[in-house]
Amino acid sequence: MLKLDFHPAGRHFLQIPGPSPVPDRILRAMSYPTIDHRGPEFGALGLSVMDGIKKVFKTTQPVVIYPASGTGAWEAALTNTLSPGDAVLMYETGHFATLWKKMAESLGLKPEFLGLPGVEGWRRGVQADMIEARLRADTGHAIKAVCVVHNETSTGVTSDIAAVRRAIDAAGHPALFMVDTISGLACADYRHDEWGVDVTVSGSQKGLMLPPGISFNALSQKALEASREAKLPRAFWSWAEIVEMNKEGYWPYTPNTNLLYGLSEALEMILGEGLDNVFARHRRLAAACRAAVTAWGLEIQCVDPAVYSPVLTGVVMQEGVDADAVRKLIYERFDLSLGTGLGKVKGRMFRIGHLGDCNDLALMAALAGCEMGLRLAGVTLRASGVGAAMDYLAQHESAPRLKAVA
Ligand SMILES: *Cc1c(COP(=O)(O)O)cnc(C)c1O
């Protein structure tokens, strides 16, 4: 453990858009003794978490759980379904879409990166009409997959996945549809089956409130069929044996037992609250955060209100202000971690996470830290964002917090 020469009083404020704070209840569940991964209790645990996670993906089809970060599940999605040299159509929403595309190149695929020019595409969602036009032009069906990011964590934009499905259908194109909702799952509505997604990729350390270390591929029959013909090398990531052994609640290798205890607890919390309540809670905190940014007189990275992210808000700095210097000051003075600007927007903006185990006063603390830090950094603020966010929260009641007690 990293040793400081003093104990900082109070809790650190982890307001980055993942890893998000892990509730004590989940940490406690993860501290249960590790059990025999071939024993009967394990099979029951495996079946129960797979049943629960399917409800969160809104699917009845197999969901593969890997002991890996989200990046591993990206690789699994591509290597299980595609062959060397295959053309894939990917859409540039931001840094994470760019990383997924780089991975496709490294694996020997031929990604084509569609998007709006410059940073314009980093301020809006996926333009489904551009995907439709490109697929219509691909009369020979060379494109084998369409890959998009649902919640682009580098910008705070949540794209319309159903619209991309409609675009693929309108073009009458047979490409597989793959979606990264690593940071969107359990924050924003997601419908794997209804939206006809073939592979959905997700991870543990964002909306699911777990530590980093497990990730997911939700599958479709079409994806499973493609995996039988796909020629990219794969061994650890291969679905076939995992899906087979998962039927009894087991894995072909040693799964991440203690993280699965955590997942079981997280599912109980999320499904107990109800997915719609979870989504509404995220939307409400996001709206309060945006009210603060707007009151400060600063720009929100996402310029299309239809696709504002309920997970995080990107705050654009005025010209000449180094966003990372502001972040550093806030971290050092107030023990508050904010997300850095990534890729094309590095130094231009920072990100406030309001996902997972976040409530009104946690958000208010984060906004107070931002406001104090911005002032100390010499940023001219138009009005108090803290005041605006308090007004928003006071005027918009949340779901009754104590309903289970009543
Ligand atoms: C966090 C994240 C990733 C990367 O996941 P790791 O767990 O860091 O490997 C990929 N895509 C999106 C949208 C993310 O938010």
Side-chain angles (χ1 to χ4, degrees):
M1 194 62 198
L2 176 71
K3 284 269 197 293
L4 296 174
D5 52 7
F6 66 99
H7 173 78
R11 283 216 172 196
H12 175 69
F13 282 85
L14 185 65
Q15 300 292 147
I16 56 175
S20 65
V22 182
D24 295 350
R25 198 177 142 180
I26 291 179
L27 289 172
R28 277 195 297 275
M30 288 179 54
S31 74
Y32 300 157
T34 304
I35 54 171
D36 174 3
H37 64 295
R38 309 275 181 222
E41 290 103 340
F42 196 95
L45 170 69
L47 289 176
S48 124
V49 292
M50 274 181 282
D51 181 55
I53 198 67
K54 284 181 192 183
K55 295 190 176 109
V56 181
F57 279 100
K58 298 192 178 167
T59 184
T60 57
Q61 308 181 81
V63 176
V64 173
I65 308 175
Y66 292 107
S69 88
T71 304
W74 264 350
E75 179 163 339
L78 299 176
T79 58
N80 272 287
T81 53
L82 299 166
S83 298
D86 275 356
V88 288
L89 188 63
M90 303 180 104
Y91 190 95
E92 182 181 355
T93 40
H95 187 66
F96 287 100
T98 307
L99 290 178
W100 201 10
K101 180 217 160 214
K102 280 192 184 139
M103 172 186 274
E105 277 163 358
S106 306
L107 291 170
L109 298 167
K110 297 257 176 309
E112 179 179 331
F113 218 19
L114 217 53
L116 298 170
V119 290
E120 192 51 28
W122 288 47
R123 306 199 72 171
R124 298 174 185 279
V126 175
Q127 306 295 301
D129 54 340
M130 288 173 71
I131 291 182
E132 183 178 333
R134 182 62 191 89
L135 292 178
R136 278 186 192 279
D138 180 38
T139 49
H141 297 166
I143 294 168
K144 298 302 175 203
V146 174
C147 301
V148 301
V149 173
H150 176 220
N151 184 75
E152 178 52 78
T153 321
S154 62
T155 61
V157 171
T158 307
S159 287
D160 183 347
I161 299 304
V164 179
R165 175 75 264 169
R166 287 194 297 273
I168 299 170
D169 291 346
H173 199 289
L176 291 163
F177 184 24
M178 303 201 208
V179 179
D180 165 350
T181 189
I182 292 179
S183 62
L185 195 73
C187 300
D189 193 15
Y190 191 84
R191 306 175 182 208
H192 178 82
D193 285 1
E194 190 185 313
W195 295 343
V197 182
D198 294 300
V199 189
T200 300
V201 177
S202 195
S204 56
Q205 75 273 28
K206 317 267 168 105
L208 291 174
M209 308 178 287
L210 296 169
I214 52 176
S215 54
F216 308 89
N217 275 179
L219 312 182
S220 72
Q221 280 314 309
K222 188 171 160 185
L224 280 164
E225 277 156 32
S227 75
R228 289 182 204 112
E229 309 296 325
K231 299 282 187 306
L232 276 178
R234 62 202 189 260
F236 176 75
W237 304 117
S238 184
W239 291 335
E241 206 186 337
I242 303 173
V243 169
E244 194 47 42
M245 286 196 66
N246 276 178
K247 287 179 183 158
E248 308 291 331
Y250 298 96
W251 274 261
Y253 44 74
T254 317
N256 204 328
T257 308
N258 291 57
L259 272 169
L260 295 180
Y261 294 154
L263 175 59
S264 174
E265 198 71 15
L267 290 167
E268 211 169 286
M269 291 168 74
I270 290 164
L271 298 172
E273 183 176 353
L275 284 172
D276 288 341
N277 293 331
V278 171
F279 304 149
R281 174 161 58 75
H282 280 80
R283 281 195 303 271
R284 179 172 167 275
L285 293 179
C289 185
R290 291 193 302 272
V293 179
T294 305
W296 287 329
L298 297 174
E299 258 182 69
I300 295 166
Q301 177 68 25
C302 176
V303 289
D304 179 0
V307 290
Y308 279 147
S309 172
V311 178
L312 73 139
T313 301
V315 185
V316 182
M317 290 295 91
Q318 292 146 352
E319 211 57 57
V321 177
D322 176 0
D324 283 329
V326 176
R327 268 182 57 247
K328 182 162 177 281
L329 185 153
I330 292 171
Y331 175 79
E332 287 170 356
R333 288 287 295 262
F334 306 115
D335 204 14
L336 162 63
S337 285
L338 298 166
T340 184
L342 293 165
K344 285 184 182 173
V345 292
K346 175 137 197 68
R348 292 289 304 126
M349 58 89 101
F350 64 80
R351 297 169 296 147
I352 305 172
H354 30 72
L355 66 159
D357 195 37
C358 186
N359 63 14
D360 290 17
L361 297 187
L363 177 69
M364 288 315 308
L367 293 173
C370 290
E371 187 161 315
M372 286 190 284
L374 285 163
R375 288 222 168 97
L376 286 168
V379 177
T380 316
L381 302 180
R382 193 172 60 201
S384 169
V386 167
M390 286 199 298
D391 288 346
Y392 184 91
L393 292 173
Q395 286 154 18
H396 296 79
E397 218 179 321
S398 60
R401 192 171 62 87
L402 299 177
K403 88 177 172 219
V405 179

